[in-house]
Amino acid sequence: MPDQQNRVTNRIDLQVDLSYEVAEPGADFVFNIHAARTPSQTLSAERLVLNQALEPQTYTDPNTGNRYMRLRARPGALKVSYAVCVDMTHCREQPSQIDEVPICDLPPQVMGYIYPSRCCQSDRLLTLATAEFGMLKPGYGRVQAIRDWVQGHVTFKSNSSNSSTSAIDTLIERVGVCRDFAHLMVALCRAVNIPARFATGTDYGADPALGPPDFQAYVEVFLGGRRYILDPSGTAIPMGFVRFGTGRDAADVAFATIFGSVKSQAPVVRANAIEDASLGIVLPHLCQDALSTDVGTVISSGDRSGA
Amino acid sequence: MPDQQNRVTNRIDLQVDLSYEVAEPGADFVFNIHAARTPSQTLSAERLVLNQALEPQTYTDPNTGNRYMRLRARPGALKVSYAVCVDMTHCREQPSQIDEVPICDLPPQVMGYIYPSRCCQSDRLLTLATAEFGMLKPGYGRVQAIRDWVQGHVTFKSNSSNSSTSAIDTLIERVGVCRDFAHLMVALCRAVNIPARFATGTDYGADPALGPPDFQAYVEVFLGGRRYILDPSGTAIPMGFVRFGTGRDAADVAFATIFGSVKSQAPVVRANAIEDASLGIVLPHLCQDALSTDVGTVISSGDRSGA
Amino acid sequence: MPDQQNRVTNRIDLQVDLSYEVAEPGADFVFNIHAARTPSQTLSAERLVLNQALEPQTYTDPNTGNRYMRLRARPGALKVSYAVCVDMTHCREQPSQIDEVPICDLPPQVMGYIYPSRCCQSDRLLTLATAEFGMLKPGYGRVQAIRDWVQGHVTFKSNSSNSSTSAIDTLIERVGVCRDFAHLMVALCRAVNIPARFATGTDYGADPALGPPDFQAYVEVFLGGRRYILDPSGTAIPMGFVRFGTGRDAADVAFATIFGSVKSQAPVVRANAIEDASLGIVLPHLCQDALSTDVGTVISSGDRSGA
Amino acid sequence: MPDQQNRVTNRIDLQVDLSYEVAEPGADFVFNIHAARTPSQTLSAERLVLNQALEPQTYTDPNTGNRYMRLRARPGALKVSYAVCVDMTHCREQPSQIDEVPICDLPPQVMGYIYPSRCCQSDRLLTLATAEFGMLKPGYGRVQAIRDWVQGHVTFKSNSSNSSTSAIDTLIERVGVCRDFAHLMVALCRAVNIPARFATGTDYGADPALGPPDFQAYVEVFLGGRRYILDPSGTAIPMGFVRFGTGRDAADVAFATIFGSVKSQAPVVRANAIEDASLGIVLPHLCQDALSTDVGTVISSGDRSGA
């Protein structure tokens, strides 16, 4: 169990504004734009404003903590404005101290994250991943090697992919956005039996040359009993990511899934970091440690009956 | 709530024998060969025998009821023998009485089953599915039309596919086994926003010309508040299917996922139906009614906070 | 041999203007924008103007008659202006009179057009094509059925595809432009052993709602000893197509293949039909007859040595 | 023009036996199993025996020299036995002396070999190929680097691919047979604008552990005015390859293309090298020089009219 000294706390003031033009006869939306509530991510001053008088349904997935909001919008403009103040506590650990978990010891709840998914076809990458990473010492270092390989083999390029683009496509075409980097890293981790999931939230610290602040996709891997966050796109400061959702891949945690005929404007995202020395809150910064937002509680290892 | 008159009970005596040759230094296995325990599927005389002295871990997924067994086998022969007596109660309903559920009313727990997955790339089939099925009256009849379309467009052919074969491949190449029929049907249902999942278990009633009894893949769709089972391969008697697992697609519920170097023999599956008039237990038979093994309890519709 | 009465002659005044901005250090272009010279397509008043003082190389492929122009452009604006007056003679035939040629009688020169190519993966469509078209009476009617199937299964949508989009993609996603309709039709013809090639040229008669006049892709099939032209996109009047090139698929006959960093503007194409009763020249019009621009000369059937 | 001293002559006694069982009502075959006749590959004692009394048609493609044999077999056994004695003269050159040809100087006849084809989708590999090989000095050395990269990234495994397997598949799955190595190398060469074609013939010198002698697929690249042969599978002695056919990819030069229902046995191939010091004929051997079977005649550079 990491001690207090290894924790770092950040605060992000977040504002997300979405704007759509909905055609007749209206459209259903499922949003995943609420910050997750977890033991290490606490929320205050949360506020959601809709320009249409609607009663959205919300749902928190008990497995992931993802908060979904569903609504049926009427034709015309739909504006969704979400704001929240997020305090995040990260555990920092020495990379060299973090081992992989053998398959036979993986908690059942993470087993699903070594299987292939829509955009992370790890089943086709076993030979490649074994050739590239199979000889490396298991542990966080191997995950870093995968992250670095993805960064080294893929070039960031806006609008170079779409919602059907998969890890296989990115591996071949070698361009993508953060979503594509994350899919490829997830697929490669799974191909060497490291549970990995796709995470979404908001970006922090990216080079403005890459575009305005935006949603961000990154990766959570399961090592040594907890999940660690990594940013294969290499464009940002992971300590400042606010987490919205986690899932198998982007198909699970689109920030908006739309059923109907709708024109979308680019989302407007503002994420301001707050520093408050009196509370021990520091600005997010790049660091060499491994970062986890997961308290690392013991996960039950299954029921006991042998059939 | 369907009344008692609309129920039918079947009993299957099941025996599954698996046989492997495990190379050095051993291999991890995750099996999904235990019959699920559900309100409408009750088990007795369950027995598991392994030829190696191992303590398998078992785990029941709380969301699906899938029962996974994990073990680390030593080099040499591994034999797994599973037997169980299964009583299954199906609700029978008039197809014309079963409606689809609008997206805005779907229980949150089934939303994940309208999204694409590894082998069911519904995201690429929206136009096709809308063109073929979009004009049909929503309801069970539309699902039957999708099932019939898949049956009419795909030819059963043993060994015509592998574990990476997806719904897209099957749509193009038009051959497959039950797994492929199920993937294509699942993908097409999702493409018209009908939640659909992939189910596995054991076959019953298939034409011996198609090969010896085997595992079976089929489909569960969510309509009118419960799940209904359908067999797009059209080769069997669905009433006799014992359910093992359900998931997004075959990647979730392989009957055996193997990590290591292993030679496999074909599984030996025996499923004998028992008739017992005194208990109201009848033989599985083809019928025109819709069949559900789901008691159709009300599923909670989400938490109430609007953020 | 069709007699004179079955011929129809059209005249098109064609003007093509292309405009590029070439980055440092210049770029190589291969154009295929010259009207082909064939026994049934005669050219007059041909004129090519470049804004850069360049000496383009031209090359006429002896097998297809395609005329390629290659040049190395300097940085800056490149403008290519091509104009020509084209007289085209089509043979009209009764569809019911046109048979398929058995594989054993196909001229060797057309054999290559029953094999798969980059964008026409007929090898994966054998089962589909046999199921859909295998039972139809061989002949022009079967080719019409394939054309109609493509028209019925694909929707025209501008900008819905790119240069890597293949027949398989179009079959799945069911949208495309004329290029995609042509690829899918070519692939399906080859899958039932009808030699088919991809043809490019200029459009005539398309509904202005689909956009300004443009290049056009269509299909040539080999039946009964000659090639017939068909327009699977169904958007235009085939009699008015000026032929530029023919090939296996679009990879062979791009109107411009560019090596280097270049910004392109949309091509400007003007195709005006001329009527001249005194010369027997009529306006292109839709007709029920099969149209060939191929004089149907006997093609040598191979050398005689049996090794 | 290389002088006499740089030539090496080999002689191969070749025997190919093919055996099929043809179902009713017979089947069409197109074979490409005749050794090509070229200025540097001369044939003697050629003999073809069929067990059915058939008159095969043969056809020599004027562009490639490929010799196709077509026949319509009756139901029952079909046995094809082909034997020939082949003298091959290779030009040997210093790799460091061999340059690439700029696009603007490529002979028109080889331009088609920089475009993508069914199994060599170079259009999707531009970024990858530029990243991996774009910085290398143009010339034979760069082609060697591509060959070595393919060898280093793909593992030879019998029966790991089928006739639809493409360069993209091989790049992802990293296993294949000689055909797959060749496709990937061809695709990568084209992606950096080096004309490359797929060549087939018979193997020589392969490790018997990889299986009995067989057909062989390899690569011809166009550099410095002629074509050079390379073996990306790295399993054999290229000097001993007898050339049958060359094409865009395997779709063009299958050793047998079959139309109908046929059971095939594995081909039996015998390739014995003959040494005859009196005639200057040596045994094929591995060497560091670049090898060409192409006399390197000047290829006409196009017609002269600028339109």
Side-chain angles (χ1 to χ4, degrees), chain D residues 287-300:
Chain D
C287 74
Q288 297 303 314
D289 292 341
L291 289 183
S292 177
T293 53
D294 177 342
V295 293
T297 47
V298 177
I299 298 177
S300 78

Side-chain angles (χ1 to χ4, degrees), chain C residues 139-155:
Chain C
Y140 188 86
R142 180 148 81 152
V143 168
Q144 283 178 309
I146 294 173
R147 180 199 61 192
D148 293 348
W149 191 94
V150 171
Q151 263 183 49
H153 282 75
V154 182
T155 301

Side-chain angles (χ1 to χ4, degrees), chain B residues 20-72:
Chain B
Y20 302 95
E21 188 64 32
V22 178
E24 291 285 351
D28 290 291
F29 289 77
V30 180
F31 292 104
N32 179 209
I33 56 164
H34 288 70
R37 275 196 191 90
T38 72
S40 37
Q41 186 168 285
T42 58
L43 313 182
S44 58
E46 194 172 43
R47 187 172 49 92
L48 180 86
V49 180
L50 301 172
N51 73 321
Q52 295 192 7
L54 300 168
E55 285 229 13
Q57 289 178 287
T58 64
Y59 172 70
T60 303
D61 184 286
N63 299 307
T64 58
N66 298 347
R67 297 167 66 199
Y68 296 102
M69 176 174 70
R70 188 164 38 163
L71 53 83
R72 179 154 184 83

Side-chain angles (χ1 to χ4, degrees), chain C residues 30-54:
Chain C
V30 180
F31 292 104
N32 177 210
I33 55 164
H34 287 72
R37 275 197 190 90
T38 72
S40 35
Q41 185 169 286
T42 56
L43 313 182
S44 57
E46 194 172 42
R47 185 172 50 91
L48 180 86
V49 180
L50 302 171
N51 74 320
Q52 295 192 7
L54 300 168

Side-chain angles (χ1 to χ4, degrees), chain D residues 42 72 78 86 101 114 168 193 196 216 219 237 240 247 260 269 278:
Chain D
T42 57
R72 180 156 184 79
L78 174 68
V86 185
V101 181
I114 60 172
I168 294 290
N193 299 325
Q216 172 75 3
V219 175
I237 299 174
V269 174
S278 69

Side-chain angles (χ1 to χ4, degrees), chain B residues 54-278:
Chain B
L54 300 168
E55 285 229 13
Q57 289 178 287
T58 64
Y59 172 70
T60 303
D61 184 286
N63 299 307
T64 58
N66 298 347
R67 297 167 66 199
Y68 296 102
M69 176 174 70
R70 188 164 38 163
L71 53 83
R72 179 154 184 83
R74 288 186 287 269
L78 173 68
K79 290 183 186 300
V80 179
S81 183
Y82 172 74
V84 67
C85 178
V86 185
D87 283 6
M88 302 173 293
T89 300
H90 294 85
C91 294
R92 301 172 60 147
E93 282 189 69
Q94 286 292 332
S96 60
Q97 303 300 309
I98 305 169
D99 288 329
E100 290 179 23
V101 181
I103 287 171
C104 55
D105 295 332
L106 284 173
Q109 295 87 341
V110 307
M111 284 299 292
Y113 297 101
I114 60 172
Y115 298 141
S117 61
R118 170 65 182 90
C119 296
C120 304
Q121 307 100 321
S122 48
D123 52 307
R124 296 190 68 195
L125 301 180
L126 299 187
T127 304
L128 184 157
T130 302
E132 299 285 347
F133 312 113
M135 295 302 122
L136 301 181
K137 185 170 170 293
Y140 188 86
R142 181 149 78 153
V143 168
Q144 284 178 308
I146 294 173
R147 180 199 61 194
D148 294 347
W149 191 93
V150 171
Q151 262 182 49
H153 282 75
V154 182
T155 301
F156 192 95
K157 187 175 170 191
S158 296
N159 302 316
S160 58
S161 61
N162 62 42
S163 67
S164 289
T165 303
S166 73
I168 294 291
D169 296 317
T170 305
L171 187 64
I172 295 162
E173 293 176 358
R174 299 265 183 114
V175 292
V177 298
C178 59
R179 177 187 175 285
D180 306 301
F181 284 78
H183 280 154
L184 181 52
M185 180 172 169
V186 165
L188 291 170
C189 288
R190 291 179 187 168
V192 289
N193 298 325
I194 298 172
R197 61 186 190 184
F198 182 88
T200 62
T202 49
D203 191 12
Y204 180 81
D207 182 345
L210 297 174
D214 200 352
F215 296 113
Q216 172 75 2
Y218 55 102
V219 176
E220 290 187 4
V221 296
F222 184 85
L223 293 170
R226 60 169 56 183
R227 296 188 192 271
Y228 293 87
I229 64 174
L230 291 106
D231 171 32
S233 73
T235 57
I237 299 174
M239 206 182 276
F241 294 168
V242 173
R243 194 225 278 180
F244 289 173
T246 62
R248 300 281 196 90
D249 58 30
D252 282 358
V253 284
F255 73 87
T257 308
I258 302 173
F259 304 86
S261 177
V262 170
K263 281 188 193 149
S264 307
Q265 290 184 18
V268 177
V269 175
R270 273 161 294 185
N272 294 319
I274 308 292
E275 192 172 15
D276 188 334
S278 69

